[in-house]
Amino acid sequence: MLRGLARFAELRREGVPISAFLRGLLLRRHFQRAGLILSIPGRPRPIIKNQGGEIIVESCSFEAGVRLEVYRGATLFIGKGAYFNRNVHIVVAESVVIGRGVKIGWDVVIMDTDLHGHSGGLARSKPVVIEDDVWIGCRALILKGVRVGKGAIIAAGAIVTKDVPPLAVVAGPSAGVIFSVTAPSSP
Amino acid sequence: MLRGLARFAELRREGVPISAFLRGLLLRRHFQRAGLILSIPGRPRPIIKNQGGEIIVESCSFEAGVRLEVYRGATLFIGKGAYFNRNVHIVVAESVVIGRGVKIGWDVVIMDTDLHGHSGGLARSKPVVIEDDVWIGCRALILKGVRVGKGAIIAAGAIVTKDVPPLAVVAGPSAGVIFSVTAPSSP
Amino acid sequence: MLRGLARFAELRREGVPISAFLRGLLLRRHFQRAGLILSIPGRPRPIIKNQGGEIIVESCSFEAGVRLEVYRGATLFIGKGAYFNRNVHIVVAESVVIGRGVKIGWDVVIMDTDLHGHSGGLARSKPVVIEDDVWIGCRALILKGVRVGKGAIIAAGAIVTKDVPPLAVVAGPSAGVIFSVTAPSSP
């Protein structure tokens, strides 16, 4: 409790408005477990669609427009001090882990599934892990099955479809982005 | 009429809210011919800018933020059961055909023209055809002159500037994206 | 004054609504020096975050959702007749110059810094120059240190990390987008 108050005082000194704490409180009902959540004022407000999954947050900050979608039975973990800039969009059909101190730029999409719209049954999913202290530049896409190693940097606009080693810097569409599938049946 | 009612009952059972039907009705005035249009609630509402072209819809669903722009004399055809996720943006200067059962992910742009902003006169256009049952991943760009074959899958973030054969899966910026033009004159 | 009135009459004849002039006037307070600014109606309204920098505008048009962020001590120059389509986002930590007659497509990001979110101290910046009469296609990213030569065309979705010669047409992620850094320390 005392530690919470000290943290509150510190964030207030850094200029975080009180409304960010209040908006954060309003988001807690969507989470199964949550530490301090800051929701910076702005439009549109963050949208959390928890459709029967589990969202666990150590602590984090959301800018406007953040969108989290967690499907039935899926799990989203957000580590201490993670930062979500405007319009970050996370889709979880199975499992996504966002490590501690991860900074995510605006318009980034992270998804562990191929799910399209409301098409049923055919989606494939594979867990995504973003390790601690990763930086993800604006507009990057992190796709299913990817593990991004601790401290790595993903450049703006990168499309990440393969694992990224710790401390690596990656940019552009990753190598081998053309993949083959068995014949797609009609959705 | 009876078939319409049966379809209405079926969609209601699937959880489509009544407001989606009503919002869809409100959009019909922008179309020259239209079957059932569902406009799923959410902000911003779909924007249809029909500036003297023709829009024909067999039936489709729009999520929030869909934007259709059809210039004078141009034609947009949308086949039965097409699905437009959030913020899909279609610009038609000449002709765009969206086949039946096509699923389009969020933030996708499809345009048949190079038109920039309100610069006049210099735009070049070339029809775009998306054949039946194509899936287009989020954030993909489909640019002028492209035909995407039946059942193909366009990966998230792909930039498509060349034809895609049926059932193919494509990702990344397509080969040959560097093109040459004759000297651009000042806009 | 007379020239201003003539220009006003001309733009009105072209169909620019009076509200665009009024909204433009409201934005002037964020700029150190500004000529005629048109702010086309639409949501969300342009957001100008001038955090102690200098913004100089000869004249320009903004569509809805344009976002300019200028940090302390940084400079943004916008030349005569520049056009910013919807959701253009410019981040200036040091210096960005937008030349005369530049047309910028929707969702374009131009930034002269690597700055992530509210992480402090580690950002690197390098001036960006977009020379006169450049066209930038929708969704392109123009990153730090880049000079785009007069009359060049940047294709939709391009990621520009290197200089572009005058009149060139570039598309795709530019060559050499994989870059190496010295070990990133924790943010």
Side-chain angles (χ1 to χ4, degrees):
Chain A
M1 183 64 185
L2 269 180
R3 214 172 51 177
L5 280 177
R7 181 74 181 132
F8 174 77
E10 181 189 336
L11 287 164
R12 288 288 295 144
R13 270 197 304 276
E14 284 175 14
V16 175
I18 283 188
S19 58
F21 294 88
L22 298 176
R23 284 158 178 263
L25 284 176
L26 290 174
L27 295 178
R28 294 178 70 92
R29 70 202 146 97
H30 300 294
F31 304 142
Q32 274 55 50
R33 207 146 23 101
L36 179 62
I37 297 169
L38 297 178
S39 175
I40 311 297
R43 294 275 174 172
R45 299 207 181 152
I47 293 180
I48 320 280
K49 299 218 168 198
N50 187 341
Q51 299 165 350
E54 188 174 40
I55 311 182
I56 293 169
V57 179
E58 289 188 344
S59 77
C60 67
S61 307
F62 295 137
E63 297 283 351
V66 167
R67 183 180 181 100
L68 310 180
E69 293 179 56
V70 179
Y71 294 101
R72 175 176 301 283
T75 309
L76 171 60
F77 173 86
I78 297 175
K80 194 173 162 182
Y83 172 77
F84 296 71
N85 208 328
R86 286 184 312 284
N87 305 321
V88 167
H89 185 175
I90 299 184
V91 182
V92 190
E94 189 173 337
S95 166
V96 170
V97 172
I98 310 284
R100 296 180 175 175
V102 169
K103 308 295 182 206
I104 309 180
W106 65 82
D107 295 348
V108 164
V109 174
I110 299 173
M111 50 188 195
D112 72 348
T113 169
D114 284 339
L115 195 63
H116 278 239
H118 53 193
S119 61
L122 287 167
R124 293 161 305 162
S125 66
K126 227 171 152 191
V128 168
V129 178
I130 314 290
E131 297 184 356
D132 297 350
D133 300 326
V134 165
W135 279 19
I136 304 177
C138 65
R139 296 275 173 86
L141 303 180
I142 313 285
L143 300 179
K144 74 171 197 295
V146 163
R147 172 179 287 266
V148 180
K150 187 170 154 59
I153 296 180
I154 310 296
I159 301 179
V160 184
T161 58
K162 294 173 147 184
D163 287 357
V164 172
L167 294 183
V169 179
V170 298
S174 74
V177 285
I178 306 288
F179 52 98
S180 63
V181 294
T182 51
S185 55
S186 163
Chain B
M1 185 61 185
L2 269 181
R3 214 172 52 178
L5 280 175
R7 180 75 182 131
F8 174 77
E10 181 189 336
L11 287 165
R12 288 287 295 143
R13 270 197 304 276
E14 286 175 12
V16 175
I18 285 189
S19 57
F21 294 88
L22 298 177
R23 284 158 178 263
L25 284 176
L26 289 175
L27 294 178
R28 294 177 69 93
R29 68 201 146 98
H30 300 294
F31 304 142
Q32 272 57 49
R33 207 144 25 100
L36 179 62
I37 297 168
L38 297 177
S39 175
I40 312 298
R43 294 273 172 172
R45 299 207 180 151
I47 293 180
I48 319 281
K49 298 219 170 198
N50 188 340
Q51 298 165 351
E54 188 174 41
I55 310 182
I56 294 169
V57 178
E58 289 187 344
S59 77
C60 66
S61 307
F62 295 136
E63 298 282 351
V66 166
R67 183 180 182 101
L68 310 180
E69 294 178 56
V70 179
Y71 294 100
R72 174 175 303 283
T75 309
L76 170 61
F77 173 87
I78 297 175
K80 195 174 164 181
Y83 172 76
F84 296 71
N85 208 327
R86 287 184 311 285
N87 305 319
V88 167
H89 185 174
I90 299 184
V91 182
V92 190
E94 190 171 336
S95 166
V96 170
V97 172
I98 310 284
R100 296 179 175 178
V102 170
K103 308 295 182 206
I104 308 180
W106 63 83
D107 296 348
V108 164
V109 175
I110 299 173
M111 49 189 194
D112 72 348
T113 169
D114 284 339
L115 195 61
H116 278 239
H118 52 194
S119 61
L122 289 166
R124 293 160 304 160
S125 66
K126 226 169 151 191
V128 167
V129 178
I130 314 289
E131 296 183 357
D132 295 351
D133 300 325
V134 166
W135 279 19
I136 304 177
C138 66
R139 295 276 174 85
L141 303 180
I142 313 285
L143 301 179
K144 75 171 197 294
V146 163
R147 171 180 287 266
V148 180
K150 186 170 157 56
I153 296 181
I154 310 296
I159 301 180
V160 185
T161 58
K162 292 173 147 184
D163 287 358
V164 173
L167 294 183
V169 179
V170 297
S174 74
V177 286
I178 306 287
F179 52 97
S180 62
V181 293
T182 50
S185 54
S186 163
Chain C
M1 183 64 185
L2 269 181
R3 213 171 52 177
L5 280 176
R7 181 72 181 133
F8 174 78
E10 182 189 336
L11 287 164
R12 287 288 294 145
R13 269 196 305 275
E14 284 175 14
V16 176
I18 283 188
S19 58
F21 294 88
L22 298 176
R23 284 157 176 263
L25 284 176
L26 289 175
L27 295 178
R28 294 178 69 93
R29 69 202 146 97
H30 299 294
F31 304 141
Q32 273 56 48
R33 208 143 25 98
L36 179 63
I37 297 169
L38 297 178
S39 175
I40 311 299
R43 295 273 173 173
R45 298 206 182 152
I47 292 180
I48 320 281
K49 298 219 170 199
N50 188 341
Q51 300 165 350
E54 189 174 40
I55 310 182
I56 294 169
V57 179
E58 289 187 345
S59 77
C60 67
S61 307
F62 295 136
E63 297 283 351
V66 167
R67 183 180 182 101
L68 311 180
E69 294 179 55
V70 180
Y71 294 101
R72 174 175 303 282
T75 308
L76 171 60
F77 174 86
I78 297 175
K80 194 174 164 181
Y83 171 77
F84 296 71
N85 208 328
R86 286 183 313 284
N87 306 320
V88 167
H89 185 176
I90 299 184
V91 182
V92 190
E94 190 173 336
S95 167
V96 170
V97 172
I98 310 284
R100 296 180 174 177
V102 170
K103 308 295 181 206
I104 308 179
W106 63 83
D107 296 347
V108 165
V109 174
I110 299 173
M111 51 189 194
D112 72 348
T113 170
D114 283 340
L115 195 62
H116 278 240
H118 53 194
S119 60
L122 287 166
R124 293 160 305 162
S125 66
K126 227 170 150 191
V128 168
V129 178
I130 314 290
E131 296 183 357
D132 296 352
D133 300 325
V134 165
W135 279 20
I136 304 177
C138 66
R139 295 275 175 89
L141 303 180
I142 313 285
L143 300 178
K144 73 170 198 296
V146 163
R147 172 180 287 268
V148 180
K150 187 170 155 58
I153 296 181
I154 309 296
I159 301 180
V160 184
T161 58
K162 292 173 148 185
D163 288 357
V164 173
L167 295 183
V169 179
V170 297
S174 74
V177 285
I178 306 288
F179 53 97
S180 61
V181 293
T182 50
S185 54
S186 161

